[in-house]
Amino acid sequence: MSKIMSFKILFLITLSHLLLQTSARKCFLTNEYTVHVVTFLPEDSPPLEFHCASGDDDLGNHKLTKFGTEYKFSFCDNIRHNTLFFCTLNWGKKKKSFDVFRSSWRNKCSSSNCVWAAQEDGIYFTTKPPVYNKEFDWEN
């Protein structure tokens, strides 16, 4: 067998192995991220209603009614590293629209998780609960 043929066979075996490993991981050449939207709002108050989307994906309308419940979605950063997801959260008459993920936040979402929590006084962020930092106030 020629060296070129041996190289081609070795290359195909290596490529097949790499593809099998990454198919279990879902993302190929980029990282997978998960965005969580959590409610820490009182159960006797209006539910947290929200809508999330990117330029390519509309994730629809959602509602969280019980304290501590969450909605989450996972995705692969695109190859150009310009992924952007945004959400609009509504709680009664209060509202807030903001970006929940940007590719440039690789350090901000270093654990591959971006966790956003709605509380009575605003919207909080963390990558590792239970420590949250306030990011936004509600708008009326």
Side-chain angles (χ1 to χ4, degrees):
M1 188 171 359
S2 71
K3 286 184 178 183
I4 294 175
M5 183 61 101
S6 296
F7 176 77
K8 287 181 180 180
I9 291 171
L10 182 59
F11 176 76
L12 289 173
I13 291 170
T14 303
L15 183 61
S16 297
H17 181 69
L18 178 64
L19 289 174
L20 286 172
Q21 282 184 328
T22 57
S23 66
R25 193 173 59 105
K26 182 181 171 189
C27 300
F28 182 68
L29 300 177
T30 63
N31 292 329
E32 181 178 14
Y33 293 92
T34 302
V35 170
H36 305 255
V37 178
V38 183
T39 180
F40 292 133
L41 298 169
E43 290 193 33
D44 60 347
S45 71
L48 177 67
E49 297 180 350
F50 56 97
H51 181 264
C52 298
S54 73
D56 299 323
D57 299 302
D58 185 335
L59 303 177
N61 295 313
H62 302 276
K63 185 186 297 189
L64 297 174
T65 57
K66 291 189 172 196
F67 184 92
T69 57
E70 74 171 346
Y71 168 79
K72 65 182 178 177
F73 59 95
S74 298
F75 54 91
C76 300
D77 193 6
N78 69 34
I79 201 86
R80 293 180 314 273
H81 298 288
N82 63 357
T83 302
L84 167 68
F85 276 94
F86 55 91
C87 295
T88 299
L89 280 61
N90 296 286
W91 179 48
K93 294 182 180 180
K94 297 180 179 187
K95 176 180 183 175
K96 185 62 186 173
S97 295
F98 58 99
D99 295 344
V100 295
F101 178 84
R102 287 181 166 271
S103 291
S104 61
W105 293 356
R106 284 188 290 270
N107 292 333
K108 184 174 184 170
C109 298
S110 59
S111 69
S112 296
N113 285 290
C114 295
V115 184
W116 296 94
Q119 297 188 33
E120 289 182 78
D121 66 335
I123 310 299
Y124 288 72
F125 175 81
T126 190
T127 58
K128 297 179 183 174
V131 178
Y132 289 84
N133 296 307
K134 188 173 182 183
E135 294 278 326
F136 306 108
D137 289 321
W138 289 105
E139 298 169 356
N140 292 320

